Amino acid sequence: MKARMRITFILFILFTLLLTACGSTNNEKNSSAQGQSASNKQAPAEKTIINIGIQGSTGIFSYARDKGIFEDAFAKAGAEVKWHEFASGPPHFEAIASGRLDFGSTGGTPVVSAQTGGVDFKAIAVTSDGKRNNAILLPKDSPIKDITELKGKKIAVAKGSSAFNFLYLVLDRAGLKAEDVQIIHLQPDEARPALDTGAIDAWSVWEPYITTAVVQVQARKLVTGEDLNIFAPGFLIARSSFTKEHPELTVLFLKTYEETRKYYVEHLDEVTDEFVKTKKLQREIISTVLKNSQPILSPITPEFAKAHQEQADFLYSVGAIKKKLDTSEVLESKYVEQALKELAEKK
């Protein structure tokens, strides 16, 4: 009898342990299943960041930033805009190469330099014919009267900028070579004090720095692109990987630019008032800069493409770049064509 009771007790203990083990296993399975279910849930998608480059205190991007125009447009598409300031065109491409910039606006010479350097980008639209954007400035008391008199003089310029190409063209028209002058590579914030103090004899530069120096310190224009009929288109630029991944946002960027541009050129007095208020600059400076800028938005037509190729060929011929380029490899009009088409259909 005692033996039978002992066996019954042992069986009871074993049965209890078995139930406990089964419960534990089921709990682990349930816990594991819940964990898998939680891990299979998609994390919230990260918001796309649109990085836009800006240079100068005036212009379409400056106006748009002050008004939050691109921010509003991209917010509707679930994206966020971040602005990045640059002193000139070439640093835009350094940022594109490192993936820190998606869009910007530069002259044609930085585009040539970037292609030479193998940066993965596209010029996606034309923003200017470039005729009135560049000039050679002199201190107000300079005795220089003709471009031939630049021989042996110290000339400041931002290397790789649109004014860099302009300087080489001016020298060529004067029958001079780069070796015949002293070219000093300075960004605008360095070159302006040098001009004011007479540390340099001339400055090759673009708007708004031209008008600012003329109005503020009575600098003189020795020659402009319009004087020499120099056709040098400027471009909107884009990081190639961004346009491929987000073609719809690229079109949105261009549509927003064009809508802003049209308002900008049709309301110059209002835009001038806005810049005078926000930038604390003289009305004369702002008004003159805006009139000289004449922004456009155009596909890269055969005429613009030819002018850009000629610019690259010229820079190669004078040794400013080290290899001959086929500039058509970085020119891409499909996005601006689509943007302009959608805007026309919207009317």
Side-chain angles (χ1 to χ4, degrees), residues 64-204:
R65 181 174 64 171
D66 290 346
K67 293 295 187 180
I69 295 172
F70 281 85
E71 285 85 346
D72 291 344
F74 279 105
K76 295 173 184 176
E80 179 183 345
V81 170
K82 290 188 177 180
W83 295 94
H84 304 264
E85 295 191 9
F86 300 95
S88 61
H92 282 69
F93 292 98
E94 296 171 14
I96 285 178
S98 63
R100 294 180 291 110
L101 191 69
D102 303 312
F103 297 109
S105 178
T106 76
T109 308
V111 171
V112 170
S113 299
Q115 185 180 359
T116 304
V119 177
D120 190 17
F121 78 98
K122 287 291 188 291
I124 59 173
V126 174
T127 58
S128 168
D129 64 16
K131 288 185 177 181
R132 303 176 73 177
N133 287 2
N134 295 287
I136 304 289
L137 295 182
L138 305 171
K140 66 176 182 178
D141 297 325
S142 173
I144 296 173
K145 303 294 183 185
D146 187 81
I147 56 177
T148 57
E149 297 174 44
L150 292 174
K151 186 173 183 177
K153 304 301 183 182
K154 296 178 182 177
I155 308 174
V157 66
K159 187 174 183 179
S161 66
S162 60
F164 183 77
N165 175 69
F166 178 70
L167 173 59
Y168 273 79
L169 284 169
V170 169
L171 294 175
D172 185 67
R173 299 285 178 92
L176 300 173
K177 296 180 180 180
E179 299 78 35
D180 294 326
V181 300
Q182 300 178 56
I183 296 177
I184 302 171
H185 299 298
L186 297 175
Q187 291 294 328
D189 60 344
E190 302 167 315
R192 172 60 192 274
L195 184 81
D196 294 353
T197 61
I200 55 174
D201 300 298
W203 182 19
S204 182

Side-chain angles (χ1 to χ4, degrees), residues 144-289:
I144 296 173
K145 303 294 183 185
D146 187 81
I147 56 177
T148 57
E149 297 174 44
L150 292 174
K151 186 173 183 177
K153 304 301 183 182
K154 296 178 182 177
I155 308 174
V157 66
K159 187 174 183 179
S161 66
S162 60
F164 183 77
N165 175 69
F166 178 70
L167 173 59
Y168 273 79
L169 284 169
V170 169
L171 294 175
D172 185 67
R173 299 285 178 92
L176 300 173
K177 296 180 180 180
E179 299 78 35
D180 294 326
V181 300
Q182 300 178 56
I183 296 177
I184 302 171
H185 299 298
L186 297 175
Q187 291 294 328
D189 60 344
E190 302 167 315
R192 172 60 192 274
L195 184 81
D196 294 353
T197 61
I200 55 174
D201 300 298
W203 182 19
S204 182
V205 70
W206 60 92
E207 288 287 16
Y209 301 105
I210 297 168
T211 298
T212 302
V214 169
V215 172
Q216 291 181 341
V217 295
Q218 294 74 57
R220 290 196 296 108
K221 296 179 189 177
L222 176 63
V223 64
T224 69
E226 194 171 29
D227 294 335
L228 300 180
N229 197 33
I230 292 175
F231 190 44
F235 299 93
L236 287 177
I237 56 170
R239 183 165 57 88
S240 295
S241 56
F242 183 92
T243 61
K244 291 173 184 175
E245 186 177 354
H246 302 288
E248 75 291 347
L249 294 180
T250 302
V251 172
L252 176 59
F253 168 79
L254 289 160
K255 287 166 63 176
T256 306
Y257 184 93
E258 174 61 3
E259 289 177 325
T260 308
R261 183 199 69 82
K262 289 186 71 175
Y263 188 90
Y264 181 96
V265 299
E266 291 169 4
H267 300 81
L268 282 182
D269 287 341
E270 179 185 327
V271 173
T272 299
D273 290 341
E274 183 69 23
F275 280 142
V276 169
K277 180 176 69 176
T278 60
K279 310 305 179 186
K280 310 302 181 186
L281 292 173
Q282 295 170 250
R283 175 171 293 278
E284 182 183 357
I285 293 175
I286 297 296
S287 179
T288 303
V289 168

